[in-house]
Amino acid sequence: MIPFQNTCPYETIRGDIYISSCPFCGADNVRLPLRKDDLAPIRDGRKRLIVFPCCHEKITAIDADADYLLADRPVRANPTNDW
Ligand SMILES: [Zn+2]
């Protein structure tokens, strides 16, 4: 069972991965140091460290699907938010 608060919704724009809002510092439209091509190995079980460029917080992506990255720790500041 995947903990909901560990999921991070992302968007793909021209091969780059963006999140609409940083869960750690609240920055808008953060481009992650990750390409769309990097998602396949994550899906295959290869862990991937991601450093947020806005605040240098780190997460490890342990899985991904078409809409969400799954992190090794909570990435939703407030789980009761109406995502
Ligand atoms: Zn940030």
Side-chain angles (χ1 to χ4, degrees):
M1 188 70 195
I2 292 171
F4 175 76
Q5 65 266 29
N6 287 26
T7 58
C8 185
Y10 70 87
E11 282 182 70
T12 309
I13 302 173
R14 289 191 297 272
D16 290 319
I17 308 293
Y18 287 80
I19 55 171
S20 60
S21 158
C22 174
F24 303 110
C25 73
D28 290 329
N29 293 316
V30 178
R31 190 178 73 172
L32 298 181
L34 195 67
R35 299 281 299 173
K36 194 171 184 239
D37 296 344
D38 295 326
L39 295 174
I42 294 171
R43 240 174 252 143
D44 288 342
R46 193 167 310 167
K47 293 177 184 171
R48 168 84 185 215
L49 181 69
I50 299 171
V51 181
F52 284 68
C54 44
C55 55
H56 302 111
E57 285 283 349
K58 297 181 186 71
I59 64 170
T60 301
I62 56 177
D63 202 355
D65 69 13
D67 301 301
Y68 295 95
L69 291 170
L70 176 65
D72 61 334
R73 65 176 175 119
V75 286
R76 290 177 190 261
N78 182 357
T80 63
N81 267 354
D82 55 350
W83 286 77

